[in-house]
Amino acid sequence: MMIIYGRIQQWFKNLALARKLILVYVLLIVVPLGVIGALSFSIFASKMEEQVGKYQLQMLKQVTLNIDTYMNELNRLSLMPYQYQEILDFLATSRKPGEALSLQEIDDLNNFVSKVFLNGRVDIMGISLFGEHGASYVVLPESQYMTTYQLGGNTEWLEKAKGRFGQPTFITTHEVKSTSGTAYQVFSIARELRSFDSGDTLGYIVIDIDPAEVRKLLSQVSLGSKESLYMTDSAGDLVLRKEKTAIYPVIEGLSDEGVSHHKVDGKSLLVAHVSSEVTGWTTVGVVPVSVLMKDSFVVRNSIILIGGICIGLAVLLSVFIAFRITSPLRMLRSLMRKVERGDLKVSFPVRQWDEVGQLGNAFNMMVSHLSELGYRLYETEIREKDAEIAALQSKINPHFLYNTLGSISMYAEVEGNREVVTMTNNLSRLLRYSLSGRKETVTLRDELDHVKGYMTIQKMRYDDRIDFRLEVDESLHGCPVIPLMIQPIVENAINHGLDKGIGEGRIQLSCYQDQGLLTIVIEDDGIGMTSEQLSAMRKRLDKIHDLGGTSGNGLMNVHRRIRLHYGEQYGLQLESMPFQGLKVILTMPIAFSMTG
């Protein structure tokens, strides 16, 4: 690194003065303009994306409200059996499979179904009534009513309806077949019907609805080209998609409402989602960030174009100014070369009395004196000067080498040794602490000093990407603890939590007293653990003699030493969620009266 820096420095020194000025001008122009342009575009793009996300979320809220209104209307239809006592009486009857309906029952049921369809609900595909004791009346699309349907005990929607105590249950899109065998895609609303008198379950009503009506509501939302708009149930399964929409994989783990970024097949997607309080379904809008940022790209290109023009004009102006300023110097250099060749009939025109003018005047005086001495004297003096210069060079060369070696040493100390000294001192203290004898316990202050030294090295290693914070009650500094108890946990946070992520990371170390116990909490904001990984690690902690596995051995070692030293009721506890970090809690008794 020092060699490259030295070469660049030497190259710059050897540049012509005009080129030096041009280079400095260009740097002073390009760097600020580039930084300002990049920051301006970054802020503009961020704000634009934020506003687009808010607009996208607002649109989804509106369409979800429309869908909820539509679903509430269907919900009211599912309450219609309570308006017809004869329907409730029919559901309460006991029926054998295949038992025929009476003419009165047929008339009552047909009348009830007609009332539902005559509500103007052309979107209703079918209605089914199921009694708790075998009564059934099913009207499928383009089919006559049937009374031979029986409820299966393991029907998924039936189990959900039983658990909702008379509240509506929305069934995601599924397929029903008419008696002719034609298949129809529908979603349904089911409700458990109960007796007003006894509260016992009488049966169930299921209304099948054409998804086209909901798709019409979804079609009112336009999020841009290559959008994807769909609905999922609480389990994350697809309910339906908007027609003529891009197809992306269903985003899992969405709840409530909000806007977030997701990476799918290498594409950055802006995902807005709103959950319905009526159906429990989540409306999801997905738009590629590249599509949303088209306008920002126009701004970016405009910034680049205008910035390029400004830089070009500034460079041309700097070239003109640089050559204009150095023009007298170039003339003086040309005249000096003529003098070197023996032409003493030259003169520098002095037009201003600045440094260049004074230098030109001195040059003219020198040439004048040389002319008076004559050519021979001039030649003699030149040769004497050459001899003196050669003699001086023979003396200067060793001294030059000594100075160069001293400069290299100085550069090494200035440029590199400070970080090396810092890391070496901290590493020395770490090794001295680790190999300082077979002490059974040390003070908490010594243990924390050990962690601080370790974190100093790690922060230098990671270019200060790690934000380490320490909170400790000073009254706990004298508390005896097991040596090398905290540092392995902090190292685990860096290696398994922060080192696998990108950007900056934070580690929080807290020590406090709680109900006679010393509690030490090490918390990071790294990648965390999945529920499966966390469960497996907790099981391993319960088996203190199990030190196998590919990860977590530092945690296991500390946990086992605490338990062996203090008892089975102490040790480590883990708390984590994916991409939200890991919290490790150490507990042990305080075995002394605390002083400062």
Side-chain angles (χ1 to χ4, degrees):
M1 189 67 183
M2 287 297 300
I3 296 176
I4 296 176
Y5 174 77
R7 289 180 178 176
I8 294 176
Q9 188 181 42
Q10 190 63 38
W11 170 80
F12 182 78
K13 288 180 178 179
N14 294 334
L15 276 179
L17 182 58
R19 294 183 180 181
K20 287 180 181 178
L21 291 175
I22 293 171
L23 182 59
V24 171
Y25 290 156
V26 169
L27 289 177
L28 292 177
I29 295 170
V30 172
V31 173
L33 282 180
V35 172
I36 293 173
L39 288 177
S40 300
F41 173 73
S42 177
I43 294 172
F44 170 78
S46 176
K47 291 295 182 182
M48 182 176 180
E49 188 172 334
E50 180 181 348
Q51 293 301 319
V52 170
K54 290 180 180 179
Y55 170 77
Q56 186 177 351
L57 185 62
Q58 191 63 36
M59 293 288 287
L60 291 185
K61 285 183 179 179
Q62 184 60 48
V63 75
T64 301
L65 180 62
N66 295 340
I67 293 174
D68 286 349
T69 302
Y70 175 74
M71 293 300 182
N72 283 327
E73 294 176 2
L74 297 176
N75 183 26
R76 286 192 288 271
L77 289 180
S78 68
L79 292 170
M80 284 187 65
Y82 288 114
Q83 302 175 16
Y84 298 87
Q85 185 61 42
E86 58 272 18
I87 300 300
L88 299 178
D89 293 339
F90 168 74
L91 294 174
T93 59
S94 298
R95 297 279 175 171
K96 296 180 181 179
E99 182 178 344
L101 303 179
S102 66
L103 293 178
Q104 183 61 43
E105 289 173 333
I106 294 174
D107 184 60
D108 292 338
L109 291 168
N110 284 338
N111 179 56
F112 169 75
V113 172
S114 298
K115 290 290 179 60
V116 176
F117 280 104
L118 288 176
N119 263 315
R121 303 310 301 243
V122 296
D123 50 340
I124 296 178
M125 304 287 289
I127 301 174
S128 302
L129 293 168
F130 300 103
E132 187 75 1
H133 304 293
S136 66
Y137 186 82
V138 178
V139 178
L140 297 175
E142 299 182 359
S143 305
Q144 295 295 328
Y145 69 85
M146 290 174 285
T147 61
T148 57
Y149 269 56
Q150 298 295 320
L151 282 177
N154 59 350
T155 306
E156 183 179 353
W157 70 262
L158 181 60
E159 295 299 323
K160 292 181 180 179
K162 286 181 178 179
R164 291 183 63 82
F165 303 101
Q167 294 298 316
T169 300
F170 290 90
I171 307 167
T172 58
T173 306
H174 58 282
E175 187 178 272
V176 297
K177 291 185 178 180
S178 66
T179 53
S180 63
T182 305
Y184 295 87
Q185 289 292 322
V186 300
F187 72 90
S188 307
I189 178 173
R191 181 186 291 276
E192 181 185 26
L193 301 173
R194 293 173 173 253
S195 171
F196 286 120
D197 299 326
S198 63
D200 296 334
T201 300
L202 300 177
Y204 304 88
I205 181 172
V206 181
I207 303 177
D208 298 324
I209 301 99
D210 188 354
E213 294 300 318
V214 178
R215 288 195 177 97
K216 287 181 182 178
L217 295 175
L218 290 179
S219 66
Q220 297 174 2
V221 178
S222 178
L223 303 177
S225 61
K226 298 183 180 180
E227 66 170 356
S228 179
L229 191 61
Y230 60 87
M231 300 178 70
T232 61
D233 60 12
S234 57
D237 297 326
L238 181 67
V239 176
L240 54 87
R241 284 186 185 272
K242 175 184 174 182
E243 293 181 342
K244 297 179 181 179
T245 185
I247 298 177
Y248 301 105
V250 174
I251 308 295
E252 297 181 353
L254 301 177
S255 61
D256 298 331
E257 66 179 48
V259 180
S260 56
H261 283 84
H262 292 267
K263 204 83 170 180
V264 176
D265 298 332
K267 292 183 178 179
S268 181
L269 304 177
L270 187 66
V271 179
H273 53 91
V274 178
S275 295
S276 169
E277 296 181 357
V278 177
T279 62
W281 296 346
T282 301
T283 307
V284 183
V286 181
V287 182
V289 174
S290 59
V291 175
L292 297 176
M293 303 307 291
K294 278 186 177 179
D295 292 339
S296 67
F297 294 154
V298 174
V299 175
R300 179 198 64 187
N301 295 338
S302 299
I303 291 175
I304 293 175
L305 178 61
I306 296 174
I309 293 174
C310 292
I311 290 173
L313 293 176
V315 169
L316 291 177
L317 183 60
S318 66
V319 171
F320 173 77
I321 293 175
F323 278 96
R324 185 67 179 268
I325 291 175
T326 59
S327 177
L329 293 175
R330 291 196 304 274
M331 179 184 294
L332 184 59
R333 181 186 62 182
S334 176
L335 294 175
M336 291 182 69
R337 286 179 177 174
K338 289 183 178 180
V339 172
E340 289 178 358
R341 292 193 296 267
D343 185 1
L344 300 179
K345 298 178 181 181
V346 296
S347 177
F348 180 82
V350 180
R351 298 186 178 92
Q352 64 273 348
W353 199 247
D354 57 4
E355 290 85 350
V356 177
Q358 295 176 21
L359 182 62
N361 184 64
F363 171 79
N364 291 337
M365 292 178 63
M366 179 193 70
V367 173
S368 176
H369 289 312
L370 288 175
S371 297
E372 292 176 358
L373 293 175
Y375 176 78
R376 189 176 297 277
L377 180 59
Y378 170 75
E379 183 178 7
T380 302
E381 289 180 353
I382 290 298
R383 290 185 178 182
E384 289 178 354
K385 293 292 183 181
D386 289 340
E388 291 176 2
I389 290 174
L392 287 174
Q393 285 181 341
S394 64
K395 296 178 181 180
I396 289 174
N397 284 338
H399 187 64
F400 172 76
L401 293 177
Y402 298 149
N403 288 341
T404 302
L405 290 175
S407 298
I408 292 173
S409 175
M410 179 186 66
Y411 279 125
E413 180 177 359
V414 170
E415 297 294 329
N417 283 3
R418 183 59 54 193
E419 294 181 357
V420 173
V421 168
T422 301
M423 295 186 71
T424 304
N425 289 341
N426 281 282
L427 181 59
S428 175
R429 283 194 288 269
L430 293 180
L431 293 175
R432 187 181 304 112
Y433 183 83
S434 302
L435 305 175
S436 61
R438 301 183 178 273
K439 294 183 180 179
E440 185 176 354
T441 59
V442 296
T443 64
L444 181 60
R445 177 185 286 107
D446 292 338
E447 183 71 4
L448 293 177
D449 288 342
H450 175 63
V451 174
K452 291 177 185 176
Y454 172 77
M455 286 308 303
T456 299
I457 294 176
Q458 293 292 4
K459 291 179 73 174
M460 294 174 69
R461 174 189 171 193
Y462 286 91
D463 294 331
D464 287 330
R465 281 178 46 210
I466 302 176
D467 178 15
F468 176 68
R469 303 178 184 178
L470 175 63
E471 294 182 4
V472 58
D473 186 349
E474 292 185 359
S475 62
L476 297 174
H477 281 161
C479 180
V481 295
I482 302 174
L484 294 176
M485 178 180 63
I486 302 177
Q487 182 267 332
I489 311 296
V490 176
E491 181 178 358
N492 183 80
I494 295 174
N495 293 338
H496 300 288
L498 303 180
D499 202 27
K500 296 182 179 181
I502 59 177
E504 297 182 354
R506 177 182 60 82
I507 297 177
Q508 176 79 31
L509 173 58
S510 306
C511 304
Y512 56 89
Q513 179 186 4
D514 184 15
Q515 298 180 355
L517 297 178
L518 174 62
T519 302
I520 301 174
V521 179
I522 300 98
E523 184 176 5
D524 65 73
D525 59 354
I527 62 174
M529 293 183 178
T530 64
S531 57
E532 294 80 5
Q533 291 173 332
L534 184 61
S535 177
M537 184 59 70
R538 285 172 174 170
K539 288 180 180 179
R540 288 184 61 195
L541 290 176
D542 289 337
K543 301 176 181 179
I544 64 172
H545 298 292
D546 179 16
L547 294 178
T550 58
S551 64
N553 287 341
L555 299 177
M556 295 294 296
N557 180 276
V558 173
H559 181 66
R560 184 168 183 266
R561 289 196 294 133
I562 292 177
R563 283 198 167 185
L564 291 175
H565 191 86
Y566 296 109
E568 295 290 327
Q569 66 270 36
Y570 305 105
L572 271 65
Q573 297 178 10
L574 304 181
E575 297 178 6
S576 180
M577 291 184 68
F579 303 103
Q580 295 188 18
L582 173 68
K583 179 188 288 186
V584 182
I585 304 172
L586 287 72
T587 57
M588 62 203 71
I590 296 180
F592 77 117
S593 59
M594 290 168 295
T595 59

